[in-house]
């Protein structure tokens, strides 16, 4: 499994993914699930993936090929697409096509699929955050629903439901996604460190902060312990 | 959906279920999902159900019929079964049989199933807590895993993972299951008030506390708000 989360806030976007991939519990590896495409100051796109590694790797490889193709057009390259909406469409179409091809090779029972989060901004445009379903259709984050999650999303949702609003600061937002990930890591073995964190400040059109958080990272561990303590203290203070 | 949780603690057992049933989002009703069978001082059994209402209602009705049957034996009646293990077996067999019958009437796509939590103690025996799968097989709560959940269990698991141990007091345990339910209610529309709470003190062999918590219950609301405040305060104090 996987857990990826993206927030769309007034001040920018905050993205976090884990890196655990498993084909069965005895076959676990670390794979990056966050991919950045940028032309700093002009365009930034971050894609996070959940689901079958064969589907997401092939999709990403094809997206990259299309960018590098000397005949790339605004219809095929996410770096030339005129809007972020078009970027989401290109990613969605590509994802659905790859999934169909791979599904075709597998029996129905094994059916492979993947979903993606696409976050980005191009110069002069708005920041946009999309969740792309395995079928290629997508939804977009809004003021009322400022976060999107893919993968093992339920354990980490309660904290986001309570604290994330469009007005949340980027620093609080990083705390929120890390605590959301922390709850998921504790409750589901198939989500694992290291983590990839990215922050895209509004109108920077580039990734303004990029951090890989390794297992045993002292700051992450301290935060996780402080949160446990806060929860236990809060729990102890409540009277029923 | 449904959320039911049961804790097996040194001092007793604590059980909580919601009451929402839905066949589609536009067809929501309230159904009790917690059922008590007791001969006070001799034997207490509480069953909680999740899944298809047709499966769980039929199973419960058949379990009741078997108890009332003048020819009831230790093999058929959960009130005569010599051990709680045998109770779990009777419930599991009945559940699997009903599921098969109903599945047979439905197409594969609609397949109906249900799972159950069975908690109980008979005089002279130990308290036992089982989770019965749709196929009739079951697992039992232990010291290392003192809680079992059925239905929409993920949102409410992080709090249980952090605070529930066999040594947890019955009062803290009630707080823990109510907060676990509170997180679930907030994050999933298909779990809904009112709630049914039951406490079985060790060796009482009867339900020692039974409470229905209605929507708008002032104590539950106060607890829910205090927890929100505690989470927000804890969140605000953490430095990353």
């Amino acid at each position: 499994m996987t857990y990826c989360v993206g927030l769309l806030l007034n001040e920018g976007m905050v993205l976090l993914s884990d890196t655990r991939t498993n084909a069965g519990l005895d076959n676990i590896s670390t794979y990056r699930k966050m991919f950045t495409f940028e032309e700093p100051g002009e365009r930034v796109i971050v894609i996070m993936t959940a689901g079958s590694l064969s589907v997401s790797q092939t999709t990403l490889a094809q997206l990259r090929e299309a960018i590098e193709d000397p005949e790339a057009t605004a219809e095929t390259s996410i770096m030339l697409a005129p809007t972020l909406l078009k970027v989401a469409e290109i990613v969605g179409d590509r994802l659905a096509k790859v999934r169909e091809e791979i599904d075709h090779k597998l029996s129905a029972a094994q059916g492979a699929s993947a979903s993606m989060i696409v976050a980005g901004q191009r110069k002069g445009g708005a920041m946009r955050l999309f969740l792309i379903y395995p079928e290629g259709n997508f939804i977009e984050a809004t003021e009322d629903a400022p976060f999107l999650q893919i993968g093992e999303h339920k354990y980490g949702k309660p904290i986001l439901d309570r604290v994330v609003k469009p007005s949340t600061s980027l620093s609080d937002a990083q705390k929120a996604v890390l605590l959301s990930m922390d709850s998921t890591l504790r409750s589901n073995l198939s989500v694992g460190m290291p983590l990839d964190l990215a922050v895209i400040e509004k109108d920077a059109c580039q990734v303004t902060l990029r951090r890989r958080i390794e297992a045993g990272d002292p700051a992450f561990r301290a935060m996780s312990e402080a949160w446990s303590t806060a929860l236990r203290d809060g729990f102890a203070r409540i009277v029923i």
Side-chain angles (χ1 to χ4, degrees), chain A:
Chain A
M1 281 296 283
T2 290
Y3 178 47
C4 299
V5 52
L7 311 187
L8 174 66
L9 308 168
N10 301 341
E11 296 180 7
M13 295 190 283
V14 174
L15 309 158
L16 181 69
S17 66
D18 82 316
T19 53
R20 182 154 297 174
T21 302
N22 66 305
L25 275 170
D26 54 351
N27 187 358
I28 289 180
S29 356
T30 298
Y31 276 95
R32 173 172 281 275
K33 297 173 192 172
M34 183 188 284
F35 305 91
T36 308
F37 300 85
E38 51 181 357
E39 192 188 331
E42 290 295 326
R43 175 183 304 238
V44 59
I45 298 164
V46 175
I47 299 181
M48 296 189 288
T49 66
S52 164
L53 196 62
S54 65
V55 173
S56 58
Q57 280 190 339
T58 306
T59 306
L60 261 300
Q62 292 188 359
L63 289 171
R64 267 193 222 98
E65 262 189 18
I67 292 171
E68 287 155 16
D69 184 346
E71 286 163 33
T73 69
E75 289 297 311
T76 60
S77 161
I78 59 173
M79 293 307 278
L80 298 177
T83 63
L84 257 294
L85 183 69
K86 184 68 198 170
V87 170
E89 281 174 17
I90 293 174
V91 175
D93 287 350
R94 190 54 67 185
L95 177 63
K97 222 165 273 166
V98 170
R99 184 202 166 206
E100 235 170 72
E101 285 162 19
I102 294 184
D103 251 5
H104 194 72
K105 293 180 199 160
L106 301 172
S107 74
Q110 293 173 297
S113 74
S115 52
M116 297 189 172
I117 287 178
V118 175
Q121 187 177 21
R122 58 185 180 81
K123 199 175 172 180
M127 297 182 293
R128 298 181 79 168
L129 181 67
F130 297 94
L131 190 165
I132 311 211
Y133 291 108
E135 293 75 16
N137 55 333
F138 47 82
I139 58 169
E140 187 172 1
T142 64
E143 285 233 339
D144 290 327
F147 64 86
L148 294 173
Q149 305 168 291
I150 51 176
E152 186 56 277
H153 64 283
K154 294 185 178 182
Y155 301 113
K157 187 161 180 281
I159 176 75
L160 301 176
D161 278 334
R162 284 173 201 267
V163 306
V164 176
K165 288 189 286 281
S167 59
T168 302
S169 72
L170 291 181
S171 130
D172 273 359
Q174 289 178 58
K175 217 168 28 170
V177 295
L178 289 169
L179 292 175
S180 173
M181 180 64 81
D182 184 52
S183 293
T184 311
L185 291 169
R186 272 173 192 261
S187 292
N188 190 317
L189 262 191
S190 70
V191 177
M193 307 277 280
L195 312 176
D196 287 312
L197 175 73
V199 177
I200 302 171
E201 277 176 41
K202 190 181 177 188
D203 297 335
C205 290
Q206 60 185 301
V207 174
T208 41
L209 172 77
R210 198 190 310 255
R211 199 177 138 207
R212 168 153 285 206
I213 300 164
E214 299 288 346
D217 178 275
F220 184 72
R221 190 185 292 172
M223 189 206 67
S224 166
E225 277 164 19
W227 183 235
S228 279
T229 308
L231 287 179
R232 283 204 202 91
D233 290 355
F235 182 80
R237 276 199 308 277
I238 288 175
V239 185
I240 58 163

mmCIF file with all atom_site columns, all heavy atoms in Angstrom, chain A residues 190-209:
data_model
loop_
_atom_site.group_PDB
_atom_site.id
_atom_site.type_symbol
_atom_site.label_atom_id
_atom_site.label_alt_id
_atom_site.label_comp_id
_atom_site.label_asym_id
_atom_site.label_entity_id
_atom_site.label_seq_id
_atom_site.pdbx_PDB_ins_code
_atom_site.Cartn_x
_atom_site.Cartn_y
_atom_site.Cartn_z
_atom_site.occupancy
_atom_site.B_iso_or_equiv
_atom_site.pdbx_formal_charge
_atom_site.auth_seq_id
_atom_site.auth_comp_id
_atom_site.auth_asym_id
_atom_site.auth_atom_id
_atom_site.pdbx_PDB_model_num
ATOM 1   N N   . SER A 1 190 ? 1.947  -1.681 5.848   1.00 0.00 ? 190 SER A N   1
ATOM 2   C CA  . SER A 1 190 ? 2.317  -1.608 4.439   1.00 0.00 ? 190 SER A CA  1
ATOM 3   C C   . SER A 1 190 ? 2.581  -0.170 3.989   1.00 0.00 ? 190 SER A C   1
ATOM 4   O O   . SER A 1 190 ? 2.765  0.088  2.810   1.00 0.00 ? 190 SER A O   1
ATOM 5   C CB  . SER A 1 190 ? 1.251  -2.263 3.569   1.00 0.00 ? 190 SER A CB  1
ATOM 6   O OG  . SER A 1 190 ? 0.089  -1.477 3.580   1.00 0.00 ? 190 SER A OG  1
ATOM 7   N N   . VAL A 1 191 ? 2.561  0.765  4.935   1.00 0.00 ? 191 VAL A N   1
ATOM 8   C CA  . VAL A 1 191 ? 2.966  2.143  4.644   1.00 0.00 ? 191 VAL A CA  1
ATOM 9   C C   . VAL A 1 191 ? 4.255  2.350  5.430   1.00 0.00 ? 191 VAL A C   1
ATOM 10  O O   . VAL A 1 191 ? 4.298  2.022  6.614   1.00 0.00 ? 191 VAL A O   1
ATOM 11  C CB  . VAL A 1 191 ? 1.880  3.150  5.105   1.00 0.00 ? 191 VAL A CB  1
ATOM 12  C CG1 . VAL A 1 191 ? 2.340  4.580  4.874   1.00 0.00 ? 191 VAL A CG1 1
ATOM 13  C CG2 . VAL A 1 191 ? 0.570  2.882  4.379   1.00 0.00 ? 191 VAL A CG2 1
ATOM 14  N N   . GLY A 1 192 ? 5.327  2.849  4.779   1.00 0.00 ? 192 GLY A N   1
ATOM 15  C CA  . GLY A 1 192 ? 6.595  2.891  5.508   1.00 0.00 ? 192 GLY A CA  1
ATOM 16  C C   . GLY A 1 192 ? 7.510  4.040  5.140   1.00 0.00 ? 192 GLY A C   1
ATOM 17  O O   . GLY A 1 192 ? 7.396  4.630  4.069   1.00 0.00 ? 192 GLY A O   1
ATOM 18  N N   . MET A 1 193 ? 8.420  4.323  6.062   1.00 0.00 ? 193 MET A N   1
ATOM 19  C CA  . MET A 1 193 ? 9.437  5.344  5.864   1.00 0.00 ? 193 MET A CA  1
ATOM 20  C C   . MET A 1 193 ? 10.421 4.837  4.791   1.00 0.00 ? 193 MET A C   1
ATOM 21  O O   . MET A 1 193 ? 10.504 3.642  4.578   1.00 0.00 ? 193 MET A O   1
ATOM 22  C CB  . MET A 1 193 ? 10.211 5.582  7.161   1.00 0.00 ? 193 MET A CB  1
ATOM 23  C CG  . MET A 1 193 ? 9.365  5.887  8.354   1.00 0.00 ? 193 MET A CG  1
ATOM 24  S SD  . MET A 1 193 ? 8.901  7.609  8.434   1.00 0.00 ? 193 MET A SD  1
ATOM 25  C CE  . MET A 1 193 ? 10.371 8.367  9.114   1.00 0.00 ? 193 MET A CE  1
ATOM 26  N N   . PRO A 1 194 ? 11.249 5.691  4.193   1.00 0.00 ? 194 PRO A N   1
ATOM 27  C CA  . PRO A 1 194 ? 11.264 7.147  4.335   1.00 0.00 ? 194 PRO A CA  1
ATOM 28  C C   . PRO A 1 194 ? 10.065 7.843  3.681   1.00 0.00 ? 194 PRO A C   1
ATOM 29  O O   . PRO A 1 194 ? 9.313  7.216  2.941   1.00 0.00 ? 194 PRO A O   1
ATOM 30  C CB  . PRO A 1 194 ? 12.567 7.546  3.639   1.00 0.00 ? 194 PRO A CB  1
ATOM 31  C CG  . PRO A 1 194 ? 12.882 6.432  2.718   1.00 0.00 ? 194 PRO A CG  1
ATOM 32  C CD  . PRO A 1 194 ? 12.313 5.200  3.334   1.00 0.00 ? 194 PRO A CD  1
ATOM 33  N N   . LEU A 1 195 ? 9.951  9.134  3.989   1.00 0.00 ? 195 LEU A N   1
ATOM 34  C CA  . LEU A 1 195 ? 8.867  9.948  3.444   1.00 0.00 ? 195 LEU A CA  1
ATOM 35  C C   . LEU A 1 195 ? 9.448  11.020 2.529   1.00 0.00 ? 195 LEU A C   1
ATOM 36  O O   . LEU A 1 195 ? 10.588 11.452 2.721   1.00 0.00 ? 195 LEU A O   1
ATOM 37  C CB  . LEU A 1 195 ? 8.115  10.648 4.596   1.00 0.00 ? 195 LEU A CB  1
ATOM 38  C CG  . LEU A 1 195 ? 7.707  9.769  5.768   1.00 0.00 ? 195 LEU A CG  1
ATOM 39  C CD1 . LEU A 1 195 ? 7.066  10.624 6.857   1.00 0.00 ? 195 LEU A CD1 1
ATOM 40  C CD2 . LEU A 1 195 ? 6.733  8.687  5.318   1.00 0.00 ? 195 LEU A CD2 1
ATOM 41  N N   . ASP A 1 196 ? 8.645  11.439 1.551   1.00 0.00 ? 196 ASP A N   1
ATOM 42  C CA  . ASP A 1 196 ? 9.028  12.570 0.712   1.00 0.00 ? 196 ASP A CA  1
ATOM 43  C C   . ASP A 1 196 ? 8.045  13.701 0.941   1.00 0.00 ? 196 ASP A C   1
ATOM 44  O O   . ASP A 1 196 ? 6.839  13.526 0.780   1.00 0.00 ? 196 ASP A O   1
ATOM 45  C CB  . ASP A 1 196 ? 9.014  12.169 -0.773  1.00 0.00 ? 196 ASP A CB  1
ATOM 46  C CG  . ASP A 1 196 ? 10.191 11.267 -1.124  1.00 0.00 ? 196 ASP A CG  1
ATOM 47  O OD1 . ASP A 1 196 ? 11.316 11.620 -0.745  1.00 0.00 ? 196 ASP A OD1 1
ATOM 48  O OD2 . ASP A 1 196 ? 9.972  10.210 -1.738  1.00 0.00 ? 196 ASP A OD2 1
ATOM 49  N N   . LEU A 1 197 ? 8.596  14.856 1.323   1.00 0.00 ? 197 LEU A N   1
ATOM 50  C CA  . LEU A 1 197 ? 7.755  16.029 1.593   1.00 0.00 ? 197 LEU A CA  1
ATOM 51  C C   . LEU A 1 197 ? 8.127  17.119 0.603   1.00 0.00 ? 197 LEU A C   1
ATOM 52  O O   . LEU A 1 197 ? 9.319  17.355 0.342   1.00 0.00 ? 197 LEU A O   1
ATOM 53  C CB  . LEU A 1 197 ? 8.018  16.525 3.023   1.00 0.00 ? 197 LEU A CB  1
ATOM 54  C CG  . LEU A 1 197 ? 7.317  17.814 3.452   1.00 0.00 ? 197 LEU A CG  1
ATOM 55  C CD1 . LEU A 1 197 ? 5.823  17.586 3.673   1.00 0.00 ? 197 LEU A CD1 1
ATOM 56  C CD2 . LEU A 1 197 ? 7.939  18.361 4.740   1.00 0.00 ? 197 LEU A CD2 1
ATOM 57  N N   . ALA A 1 198 ? 7.132  17.777 0.041   1.00 0.00 ? 198 ALA A N   1
ATOM 58  C CA  . ALA A 1 198 ? 7.402  18.901 -0.859  1.00 0.00 ? 198 ALA A CA  1
ATOM 59  C C   . ALA A 1 198 ? 6.440  20.032 -0.549  1.00 0.00 ? 198 ALA A C   1
ATOM 60  O O   . ALA A 1 198 ? 5.272  19.795 -0.249  1.00 0.00 ? 198 ALA A O   1
ATOM 61  C CB  . ALA A 1 198 ? 7.240  18.476 -2.312  1.00 0.00 ? 198 ALA A CB  1
ATOM 62  N N   . VAL A 1 199 ? 6.947  21.252 -0.591  1.00 0.00 ? 199 VAL A N   1
ATOM 63  C CA  . VAL A 1 199 ? 6.107  22.431 -0.423  1.00 0.00 ? 199 VAL A CA  1
ATOM 64  C C   . VAL A 1 199 ? 6.278  23.297 -1.665  1.00 0.00 ? 199 VAL A C   1
ATOM 65  O O   . VAL A 1 199 ? 7.399  23.519 -2.129  1.00 0.00 ? 199 VAL A O   1
ATOM 66  C CB  . VAL A 1 199 ? 6.513  23.229 0.837   1.00 0.00 ? 199 VAL A CB  1
ATOM 67  C CG1 . VAL A 1 199 ? 5.675  24.493 0.960   1.00 0.00 ? 199 VAL A CG1 1
ATOM 68  C CG2 . VAL A 1 199 ? 6.373  22.371 2.085   1.00 0.00 ? 199 VAL A CG2 1
ATOM 69  N N   . ILE A 1 200 ? 5.139  23.737 -2.211  1.00 0.00 ? 200 ILE A N   1
ATOM 70  C CA  . ILE A 1 200 ? 5.171  24.631 -3.367  1.00 0.00 ? 200 ILE A CA  1
ATOM 71  C C   . ILE A 1 200 ? 4.529  25.937 -2.924  1.00 0.00 ? 200 ILE A C   1
ATOM 72  O O   . ILE A 1 200 ? 3.315  25.993 -2.728  1.00 0.00 ? 200 ILE A O   1
ATOM 73  C CB  . ILE A 1 200 ? 4.355  24.039 -4.538  1.00 0.00 ? 200 ILE A CB  1
ATOM 74  C CG1 . ILE A 1 200 ? 4.891  22.660 -4.928  1.00 0.00 ? 200 ILE A CG1 1
ATOM 75  C CG2 . ILE A 1 200 ? 4.340  24.994 -5.725  1.00 0.00 ? 200 ILE A CG2 1
ATOM 76  C CD1 . ILE A 1 200 ? 4.004  21.916 -5.919  1.00 0.00 ? 200 ILE A CD1 1
ATOM 77  N N   . GLU A 1 201 ? 5.323  26.962 -2.715  1.00 0.00 ? 201 GLU A N   1
ATOM 78  C CA  . GLU A 1 201 ? 4.729  28.235 -2.291  1.00 0.00 ? 201 GLU A CA  1
ATOM 79  C C   . GLU A 1 201 ? 3.967  28.850 -3.448  1.00 0.00 ? 201 GLU A C   1
ATOM 80  O O   . GLU A 1 201 ? 4.348  28.711 -4.612  1.00 0.00 ? 201 GLU A O   1
ATOM 81  C CB  . GLU A 1 201 ? 5.820  29.193 -1.805  1.00 0.00 ? 201 GLU A CB  1
ATOM 82  C CG  . GLU A 1 201 ? 6.204  28.933 -0.369  1.00 0.00 ? 201 GLU A CG  1
ATOM 83  C CD  . GLU A 1 201 ? 7.346  29.823 0.096   1.00 0.00 ? 201 GLU A CD  1
ATOM 84  O OE1 . GLU A 1 201 ? 7.333  31.024 -0.254  1.00 0.00 ? 201 GLU A OE1 1
ATOM 85  O OE2 . GLU A 1 201 ? 8.252  29.318 0.779   1.00 0.00 ? 201 GLU A OE2 1
ATOM 86  N N   . LYS A 1 202 ? 2.907  29.548 -3.104  1.00 0.00 ? 202 LYS A N   1
ATOM 87  C CA  . LYS A 1 202 ? 2.062  30.176 -4.117  1.00 0.00 ? 202 LYS A CA  1
ATOM 88  C C   . LYS A 1 202 ? 2.888  31.085 -5.032  1.00 0.00 ? 202 LYS A C   1
ATOM 89  O O   . LYS A 1 202 ? 3.707  31.871 -4.549  1.00 0.00 ? 202 LYS A O   1
ATOM 90  C CB  . LYS A 1 202 ? 0.965  30.980 -3.423  1.00 0.00 ? 202 LYS A CB  1
ATOM 91  C CG  . LYS A 1 202 ? -0.104 31.455 -4.383  1.00 0.00 ? 202 LYS A CG  1
ATOM 92  C CD  . LYS A 1 202 ? -1.162 32.270 -3.687  1.00 0.00 ? 202 LYS A CD  1
ATOM 93  C CE  . LYS A 1 202 ? -2.147 32.759 -4.759  1.00 0.00 ? 202 LYS A CE  1
ATOM 94  N NZ  . LYS A 1 202 ? -3.101 33.714 -4.213  1.00 0.00 ? 202 LYS A NZ  1
ATOM 95  N N   . ASP A 1 203 ? 2.660  30.971 -6.319  1.00 0.00 ? 203 ASP A N   1
ATOM 96  C CA  . ASP A 1 203 ? 3.276  31.811 -7.357  1.00 0.00 ? 203 ASP A CA  1
ATOM 97  C C   . ASP A 1 203 ? 4.797  31.646 -7.502  1.00 0.00 ? 203 ASP A C   1
ATOM 98  O O   . ASP A 1 203 ? 5.415  32.355 -8.299  1.00 0.00 ? 203 ASP A O   1
ATOM 99  C CB  . ASP A 1 203 ? 2.941  33.297 -7.143  1.00 0.00 ? 203 ASP A CB  1
ATOM 100 C CG  . ASP A 1 203 ? 1.433  33.544 -7.269  1.00 0.00 ? 203 ASP A CG  1
ATOM 101 O OD1 . ASP A 1 203 ? 0.769  32.743 -7.958  1.00 0.00 ? 203 ASP A OD1 1
ATOM 102 O OD2 . ASP A 1 203 ? 0.926  34.512 -6.680  1.00 0.00 ? 203 ASP A OD2 1
ATOM 103 N N   . ALA A 1 204 ? 5.394  30.730 -6.728  1.00 0.00 ? 204 ALA A N   1
ATOM 104 C CA  . ALA A 1 204 ? 6.828  30.494 -6.909  1.00 0.00 ? 204 ALA A CA  1
ATOM 105 C C   . ALA A 1 204 ? 7.048  29.686 -8.188  1.00 0.00 ? 204 ALA A C   1
ATOM 106 O O   . ALA A 1 204 ? 8.093  29.771 -8.823  1.00 0.00 ? 204 ALA A O   1
ATOM 107 C CB  . ALA A 1 204 ? 7.403  29.756 -5.717  1.00 0.00 ? 204 ALA A CB  1
ATOM 108 N N   . CYS A 1 205 ? 6.051  28.902 -8.558  1.00 0.00 ? 205 CYS A N   1
ATOM 109 C CA  . CYS A 1 205 ? 6.164  28.015 -9.724  1.00 0.00 ? 205 CYS A CA  1
ATOM 110 C C   . CYS A 1 205 ? 7.414  27.146 -9.648  1.00 0.00 ? 205 CYS A C   1
ATOM 111 O O   . CYS A 1 205 ? 8.092  26.902 -10.667 1.00 0.00 ? 205 CYS A O   1
ATOM 112 C CB  . CYS A 1 205 ? 6.100  28.815 -11.026 1.00 0.00 ? 205 CYS A CB  1
ATOM 113 S SG  . CYS A 1 205 ? 4.448  29.473 -11.309 1.00 0.00 ? 205 CYS A SG  1
ATOM 114 N N   . GLN A 1 206 ? 7.749  26.720 -8.461  1.00 0.00 ? 206 GLN A N   1
ATOM 115 C CA  . GLN A 1 206 ? 8.792  25.728 -8.274  1.00 0.00 ? 206 GLN A CA  1
ATOM 116 C C   . GLN A 1 206 ? 8.613  25.107 -6.881  1.00 0.00 ? 206 GLN A C   1
ATOM 117 O O   . GLN A 1 206 ? 7.885  25.647 -6.050  1.00 0.00 ? 206 GLN A O   1
ATOM 118 C CB  . GLN A 1 206 ? 10.181 26.341 -8.401  1.00 0.00 ? 206 GLN A CB  1
ATOM 119 C CG  . GLN A 1 206 ? 10.464 27.444 -7.402  1.00 0.00 ? 206 GLN A CG  1
ATOM 120 C CD  . GLN A 1 206 ? 11.801 28.087 -7.678  1.00 0.00 ? 206 GLN A CD  1
ATOM 121 O OE1 . GLN A 1 206 ? 12.823 27.426 -7.660  1.00 0.00 ? 206 GLN A OE1 1
ATOM 122 N NE2 . GLN A 1 206 ? 11.784 29.381 -7.942  1.00 0.00 ? 206 GLN A NE2 1
ATOM 123 N N   . VAL A 1 207 ? 9.269  23.970 -6.676  1.00 0.00 ? 207 VAL A N   1
ATOM 124 C CA  . VAL A 1 207 ? 9.211  23.347 -5.358  1.00 0.00 ? 207 VAL A CA  1
ATOM 125 C C   . VAL A 1 207 ? 10.107 24.161 -4.432  1.00 0.00 ? 207 VAL A C   1
ATOM 126 O O   . VAL A 1 207 ? 11.308 24.268 -4.674  1.00 0.00 ? 207 VAL A O   1
ATOM 127 C CB  . VAL A 1 207 ? 9.648  21.870 -5.423  1.00 0.00 ? 207 VAL A CB  1
ATOM 128 C CG1 . VAL A 1 207 ? 9.714  21.272 -4.031  1.00 0.00 ? 207 VAL A CG1 1
ATOM 129 C CG2 . VAL A 1 207 ? 8.680  21.071 -6.285  1.00 0.00 ? 207 VAL A CG2 1
ATOM 130 N N   . THR A 1 208 ? 9.520  24.773 -3.404  1.00 0.00 ? 208 THR A N   1
ATOM 131 C CA  . THR A 1 208 ? 10.296 25.683 -2.555  1.00 0.00 ? 208 THR A CA  1
ATOM 132 C C   . THR A 1 208 ? 10.925 24.955 -1.372  1.00 0.00 ? 208 THR A C   1
ATOM 133 O O   . THR A 1 208 ? 11.858 25.451 -0.756  1.00 0.00 ? 208 THR A O   1
ATOM 134 C CB  . THR A 1 208 ? 9.414  26.839 -2.064  1.00 0.00 ? 208 THR A CB  1
ATOM 135 O OG1 . THR A 1 208 ? 8.135  26.314 -1.702  1.00 0.00 ? 208 THR A OG1 1
ATOM 136 C CG2 . THR A 1 208 ? 9.216  27.855 -3.160  1.00 0.00 ? 208 THR A CG2 1
ATOM 137 N N   . LEU A 1 209 ? 10.384 23.780 -1.034  1.00 0.00 ? 209 LEU A N   1
ATOM 138 C CA  . LEU A 1 209 ? 11.011 22.978 0.017   1.00 0.00 ? 209 LEU A CA  1
ATOM 139 C C   . LEU A 1 209 ? 10.841 21.521 -0.358  1.00 0.00 ? 209 LEU A C   1
ATOM 140 O O   . LEU A 1 209 ? 9.742  21.093 -0.727  1.00 0.00 ? 209 LEU A O   1
ATOM 141 C CB  . LEU A 1 209 ? 10.343 23.239 1.376   1.00 0.00 ? 209 LEU A CB  1
ATOM 142 C CG  . LEU A 1 209 ? 10.803 22.305 2.500   1.00 0.00 ? 209 LEU A CG  1
ATOM 143 C CD1 . LEU A 1 209 ? 12.161 22.712 3.034   1.00 0.00 ? 209 LEU A CD1 1
ATOM 144 C CD2 . LEU A 1 209 ? 9.783  22.299 3.641   1.00 0.00 ? 209 LEU A CD2 1
#
